[in-house]
Amino acid sequence: MDLVIYSALALIYLILVIIIATQLSGKRQWLNYSIFQIFVLFSLAYDNGIIAAGHIIGEGELLKTLSSVRFWLHAFATPTLILVGYYILRRSQVQFSKHIITHITAWLLTVGLIIYQLVSSTLHEVKSLIPIEEYGVLRYTSESHTSPPFMVIIVGFWLLTIGLIVLVKQKWVWLFVGTTLLFVGQGLQIPIASTALTNVYELILMLSISITTSRAMLSQRS
């Protein structure tokens, strides 16, 4: 079952990349922070795609190297959701979002989380990759991998807070719902023989972000 789920997720993320790239191109908004969605979506497409292709590639140095890229992309891409959240906040016409200190904070938080993830996790993870075969997929995972890292939690709470703000300000419900489902889903112990459930919750989050940024693009220019 996991092979089907990971394959489907990779395909859906690639479709989202095309959709959002088309939206940005059509509105000539390549220079706004919404573009970081494409980076995150591509990294998630790669992540799920490599896991799905594990058996095709086969155990060995090639799959191990390709798998290490998954961890590097996670470290560099995921924190940029801070900037996507900042873009949504600006478009929602929240007054404090227009202050330079808010802009600087978003950038400092993004860069700080990238550095933190690299130093605290990624550099160790890519050195301790081991092959694991379960539920029909072959993938390399890290022996030093722990529970949801600090970086992911901070990004999640940032998006949850912004989701609540834009829900109150603009009645944009999707970001709040998507982030809430991510937190609730990761906290539930569902008795299903699969390692792909977390990835499904990530898709729900990214869909909620995509819907919100699409709505934000149609809002009054800030």
Side-chain angles (χ1 to χ4, degrees):
M1 182 176 72
D2 275 13
L3 176 59
V4 175
I5 296 175
Y6 285 118
S7 299
L9 289 172
L11 179 59
I12 293 171
Y13 282 127
L14 288 176
I15 292 173
L16 286 174
V17 167
I18 295 172
I19 291 173
I20 293 174
T22 301
Q23 287 178 340
L24 291 173
S25 178
K27 296 181 179 298
R28 298 182 180 180
Q29 294 189 18
W30 287 106
L31 296 181
N32 71 51
Y33 290 153
S34 180
I35 197 172
F36 284 107
Q37 284 180 96
I38 294 179
F39 183 25
V40 178
L41 289 167
F42 174 79
S43 72
L44 289 169
Y46 181 90
D47 182 79
N48 288 277
I50 290 299
I51 295 176
H55 273 302
I56 297 175
I57 299 171
E59 183 178 333
E61 285 302 314
L62 176 58
L63 181 58
K64 185 176 182 179
T65 300
L66 293 173
S67 297
S68 69
V69 176
R70 293 171 45 223
F71 293 88
W72 291 110
L73 285 174
H74 174 66
F76 281 102
T78 304
T80 64
L81 288 176
I82 296 289
L83 297 175
V84 177
Y86 169 72
Y87 168 79
I88 294 171
L89 200 61
R90 281 294 300 265
R91 286 290 185 166
S92 69
Q93 304 299 313
V94 175
Q95 193 60 37
F96 74 83
S97 69
K98 299 180 181 181
H99 297 168
I100 186 64
I101 188 64
T102 307
H103 193 182
I104 293 174
T105 298
W107 269 106
L108 288 177
L109 191 55
T110 300
V111 175
L113 287 176
I114 290 174
I115 295 173
Y116 173 84
Q117 183 67 17
L118 289 173
V119 174
S120 68
S121 299
T122 307
L123 292 174
H124 305 290
E125 288 171 338
V126 297
K127 292 179 180 178
S128 59
L129 294 180
I130 57 173
I132 290 182
E133 183 173 0
E134 53 186 349
Y135 308 122
V137 295
L138 171 65
R139 61 189 178 122
Y140 274 83
T141 188
S142 174
E143 288 183 300
S144 64
H145 181 68
T146 58
S147 57
F150 175 78
M151 181 269 284
V152 173
I153 294 173
I154 295 300
V155 171
F157 273 112
W158 171 271
L159 293 175
L160 183 64
T161 302
I162 292 175
L164 182 59
I165 292 172
V166 299
L167 172 60
V168 173
K169 179 72 175 179
Q170 296 287 358
K171 304 300 186 274
W172 298 345
V173 67
W174 293 105
L175 181 59
F176 180 75
V177 170
T179 312
T180 300
L181 288 176
L182 176 69
F183 278 112
V184 172
Q186 290 187 335
L188 293 176
Q189 297 294 328
I190 301 177
I192 296 178
S194 173
T195 60
L197 285 181
T198 297
N199 297 51
V200 173
Y201 294 128
E202 289 174 351
L203 174 62
I204 294 173
L205 173 64
M206 293 309 300
L207 285 172
S208 73
I209 292 173
S210 299
I211 293 171
T212 306
T213 54
S214 295
R215 180 66 185 84
M217 273 187 246
L218 297 175
S219 67
Q220 180 181 354
R221 187 178 299 273
S222 56

